[in-house]
Amino acid sequence: MDLAAKHAALYQGTLLVAEAAEDAYRLGGLDRFLNPWIRDRLDSLRLLLDSCDTQRQLAGDTRALASAAAEYSEMRDQLFSDLHHTRPEPPWRTMRRKDMAIRAQSRVLHRQPTFILRRLDAGANVPGAETWDFTVLTNPSDRADQGTSFVVMADSQTKNGRITVQVSKELESERPWYQQLEYGFYALGATPFLTAIYDPDRHRQQPPEGLAGEFDL
């Protein structure tokens, strides 16, 4: 068997690892984020063979391919336990490329949402900015749950050690979700600056002129 055939067999093996994990640790609404992510990742790593010039490069590239599948399997195991097992409060869990973070809160005693923060490949063509998607699954066990999604714009470069994050008024008004967005960026290694965190009344509507004090908003 030549190198190309061996590498193709390795790729098929990584798909088997991913599929076995998906069958063993079913994650409902999270599958539509995770399943395509790992396949895109494995496809990208498979192409590294074309640029291999040395045995050391081959060793590193094949190790990366095998590791990606193993880490994905472990990630699904952890997320499944986060949702369904009694254990300490689950943390945000991140992919190695730092392009997606997930917090699957326990649903053992009562229903809690799951949060997904992921970088979008197709941005808004805004210089110096990145486009992210922040999705909240209120019933993550249901594969049909499409969740509530918000487009998030973030600086691609830090300023004073922080990145400015801009969101819609709708997300600002959902205070627990907005707070989780901040935690998601921290989990990805970024220090976010979210205006409404430091201006607690930013999300509140202002009463019409002349009616101030008549409404408690």
Side-chain angles (χ1 to χ4, degrees):
M1 183 182 293
D2 62 15
L3 177 58
K6 290 179 180 179
H7 197 271
L10 171 62
Y11 173 73
Q12 290 301 319
T14 62
L15 285 179
L16 175 60
V17 172
E19 291 167 357
E22 288 162 359
D23 289 338
Y25 311 113
R26 297 183 182 274
L27 294 172
L30 278 173
D31 282 343
R32 71 182 177 93
F33 300 94
L34 290 169
N35 294 14
W37 183 91
I38 187 57
R39 283 155 182 79
D40 288 346
R41 179 64 173 151
L42 295 178
D43 284 344
S44 176
L45 291 171
R46 176 175 59 169
L47 297 177
L48 293 177
L49 178 65
D50 296 337
S51 60
C52 276
D53 295 322
T54 68
Q55 290 296 325
R56 288 187 177 182
Q57 287 180 339
L58 178 62
D61 292 346
T62 53
R63 182 169 61 248
L65 185 56
S67 296
E71 289 166 2
Y72 175 73
S73 179
E74 183 178 2
M75 172 72 75
R76 292 191 69 98
D77 185 1
Q78 292 171 334
L79 289 169
F80 186 87
S81 291
D82 292 345
L83 286 166
H84 302 296
H85 296 160
T86 300
R87 56 189 298 174
E89 182 75 9
W92 279 85
R93 302 196 182 277
T94 62
M95 303 304 185
R96 174 174 288 198
R97 288 192 301 175
K98 300 294 185 182
D99 59 357
M100 182 161 60
I102 297 172
R103 185 169 189 229
Q105 299 184 106
S106 173
R107 296 175 64 81
V108 174
L109 295 179
H110 63 97
R111 292 183 177 180
Q112 299 186 92
T114 288
F115 303 96
I116 306 101
L117 176 61
R118 60 196 179 108
R119 184 186 290 113
L120 300 180
D121 290 332
N125 296 320
V126 178
E130 294 178 342
T131 306
W132 293 76
D133 173 83
F134 181 63
T135 300
V136 183
L137 301 177
T138 55
N139 187 17
S141 297
D142 182 2
R143 289 182 62 90
D145 181 10
Q146 295 298 303
T148 303
S149 294
F150 304 90
V151 174
V152 176
M153 299 298 296
D155 289 341
S156 57
Q157 302 294 327
T158 61
K159 298 176 182 177
N160 298 321
R162 292 184 171 188
I163 60 169
T164 300
V165 178
Q166 299 179 7
V167 305
S168 65
K169 293 293 185 181
E170 289 76 14
L171 179 52
E172 283 188 2
S173 67
E174 296 287 349
R175 307 303 283 177
W177 296 359
Y178 189 66
Q179 185 77 66
Q180 289 294 332
L181 173 65
E182 182 186 37
Y183 295 152
F185 275 110
Y186 274 119
L188 290 167
T191 301
F193 178 78
L194 288 83
T195 307
I197 294 290
Y198 303 96
D199 182 4
D201 296 322
R202 176 181 170 87
H203 68 293
R204 296 176 181 268
Q205 287 187 334
Q206 295 299 317
E209 186 177 354
L211 297 181
E214 293 190 20
F215 295 91
D216 182 9
L217 300 178

